[in-house]
Amino acid sequence: GLVVATTGNGTVHHALEAALADAAASGCAVLRATRCLAGAIVEPTPAAPGALLASASLTPQQARVELIVRLLAARAAASR
């Protein structure tokens, strides 16, 4: 999985966003986090094509732990 440390409300350069969308489409978990100390990432609308998951107001370090937990939970659910 990938955690992307973004600026402001979670936006990234369009070229990076396209690469991340490709990674997500190929099965890689991608989670956006903000480097800003205050505020949170704006969630994309569910209908947005290639929408990347957001970590709300978690720091990139906290988002890494969140992604690990999500991946472990998905792995445990798949093994049942």
Side-chain angles (χ1 to χ4, degrees), residues 54-75:
S55 65
S57 60
L58 298 178
T59 66
Q61 295 81 2
Q62 293 167 330
R64 180 174 180 258
V65 174
E66 169 75 16
L67 183 58
I68 290 169
V69 170
R70 287 184 187 196
L71 292 173
L72 289 173
R75 185 178 194 183

Side-chain angles (χ1 to χ4, degrees), residues 4 15-16 18-19 23 26-27 31 33 35 37 39 41-42 46-48 54 56 58 60 62 66 75 77 79:
V4 183
L16 177 57
S26 70
L31 188 61
R35 294 180 296 192
L37 296 177
I41 291 183
V42 175
L58 298 178
Q62 293 167 330
E66 169 75 16
R75 185 178 194 183
S79 67

Side-chain angles (χ1 to χ4, degrees), residues 10-59:
T11 57
V12 293
H13 188 273
H14 66 277
L16 177 57
E17 185 173 17
L20 294 171
D22 288 346
S26 70
C28 182
V30 179
L31 188 61
R32 294 178 300 137
T34 182
R35 294 180 296 192
C36 296
L37 296 177
I41 291 183
V42 175
E43 284 285 345
T45 60
L52 301 172
L53 297 175
S55 65
S57 60
L58 298 178
T59 66

